[in-house]
């Protein structure tokens, strides 16, 4: 989530009216997931609190226990920092823990990217729960703005600022092909795919089967370079990690990364032919590059999607058919005219300007807004 929050944090740092305290938690502190706190610190952000909450397991029981550890640790962190406002993004279980702690501590919450739908994930319920515990809402589209209001939030507290990921595309100086290849120690081929596939957390025991279907489909494409980014710390994510690792070991045209980081990840999108998987990035950010996205299965079901996105079933034949469609001349011509429904950037500056001018008097007391 850091990649999406970075430019909001940069804007806060330069504000004369706001100051930034930073709590880093979860995967950012884990070597298994790339120890990405180093990237945060390399970007000159001071980390005020570290919340260790991940267990070395990805079962439903361990995820629930991680949430409990997080709730205890966030309570202590918020007590020490005593913020005037908690700013959070998205829908992960770590965020539910910190917002729950803030609710009890009477700390108002500003929530980014609420109102979205991901019908295949526990994130769907978590996201809407966070909305109900939040007091200011920054959403990525008009449809999501309406949904947050439908959840009973006052329209005066819901601001459509667009998608945060687009700010990264506009602000980062992306790597050219040669520098990108050097940065990942991998030579791009005539045709290249970027693949990110996460578990579908509201389905039981489907992750391994769906990943096998995806890898079997990819094996049909010869003279193609495959760049994998690893799944996150969701339920049953580790089996996918091992399957990708084995595939890369057996195919010298494939390489995997625990974390590419925002610069290399966005540079990668710029240089590949298509993006394959079920990540929200394929929906929100990739259309701005005018590149096709193959969106597999139900993980992102419910999100607003650009014309450059092809939905398919998590089955070998469906994935292959969709990939061939994305590589066709007609579809490439269609993608050239793609309009990203998540806006054209500037969300970070809009958010900070609103926070600078917002009246925090009696913000904790909310009335349910009836439509």
């Amino acid at each position: 989530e850091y990649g999406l929050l970075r430019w909001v944090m940069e804007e806060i740092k330069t504000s004369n009216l706001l100051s930034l305290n930073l709590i880093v938690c979860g995967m950012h502190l884990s070597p298994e997931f790339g120890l990405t706190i180093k990237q945060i610190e390399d970007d000159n952000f001071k980390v005020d609190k570290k919340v260790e909450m991940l267990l070395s397991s990805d079962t439903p029981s361990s995820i629930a226990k991680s949430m409990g550890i997080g709730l205890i640790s966030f309570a202590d962190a918020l007590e020490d920092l005593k913020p005037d406002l908690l700013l959070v993004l998205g829908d992960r279980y770590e965020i539910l823990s910190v917002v729950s702690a803030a609710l009890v501590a009477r700390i108002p919450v500003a929530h980014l990217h609420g109102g979205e739908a991901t019908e295949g994930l526990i994130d769907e319920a978590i996201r809407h729960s966070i909305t109900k515990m939040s007091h200011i809402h920054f959403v990525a589209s008009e449809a999501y703005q309406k949904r947050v209001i439908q959840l009973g939030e006052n329209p005066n507290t819901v601001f459509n600022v667009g998608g945060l990921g687009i700010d990264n595309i506009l602000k980062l100086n992306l790597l050219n092909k040669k520098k990108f290849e050097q940065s990942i120690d991998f030579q791009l081929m005539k045709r290249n795919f970027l693949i990110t596939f996460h578990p579908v957390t509201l389905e039981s025991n489907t992750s391994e089967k769906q990943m096998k279907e995806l890898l079997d489909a990819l094996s049909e494409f010869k003279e193609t370079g495959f760049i994998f980014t690893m799944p996150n710390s969701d339920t049953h994510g580790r089996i996918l990690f091992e399957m990708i690792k084995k595939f890369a070991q057996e195919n010298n045209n494939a390489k995997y990364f625990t974390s590419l980081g925002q610069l290399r990840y966005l540079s990668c999108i710029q240089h590949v032919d298509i993006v394959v998987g079920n990540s929200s990035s394929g929906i929100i950010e990739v259309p701005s590059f005018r590149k096709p996205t193959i969106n597999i299965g139900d993980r992102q079901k419910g999100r607003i999607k650009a014309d450059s996105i092809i939905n398919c079933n998590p089955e070998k034949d469906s994935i292959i058919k969709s990939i061939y469609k994305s590589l066709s001349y007609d579809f490439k011509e269609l993608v050239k005219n793609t309009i990203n429904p998540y806006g054209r950037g500037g969300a970070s500056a809009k958010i900070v300007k609103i926070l600078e001018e917002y009246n925090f008097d009696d913000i904790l007391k909310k009335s349910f807004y009836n439509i």
Side-chain angles (χ1 to χ4, degrees), residues 214-274:
L214 170 57
L215 296 178
D216 286 348
L218 295 176
S219 297
E220 297 294 315
F221 292 86
K222 309 304 179 186
E223 298 182 6
T224 302
F226 303 123
I227 300 173
F228 289 87
T229 61
M230 287 302 198
N232 53 31
S233 61
D234 285 329
T235 311
H236 300 143
R238 283 179 172 81
I239 183 63
L240 305 189
F241 193 108
E242 292 304 319
M243 293 175 74
I244 294 168
K245 186 176 179 180
K246 184 173 184 290
F247 182 86
Q249 289 171 341
E250 295 175 350
N251 296 273
N252 59 13
N253 60 328
K255 190 155 185 176
Y256 68 89
F257 297 87
T258 304
S259 173
L260 280 171
Q262 281 297 302
L263 178 61
R264 291 193 301 175
Y265 179 77
L266 294 174
S267 298
C268 185
I269 296 173
Q270 182 173 247
H271 297 300
V272 299
D273 294 274
I274 62 172

Side-chain angles (χ1 to χ4, degrees), residues 57-76:
S57 174
D58 60 359
T59 64
S61 175
S62 69
I63 297 295
K65 289 174 183 176
S66 291
M67 293 172 67
I69 294 168
L71 182 57
I72 294 168
S73 302
F74 285 126
D76 290 339

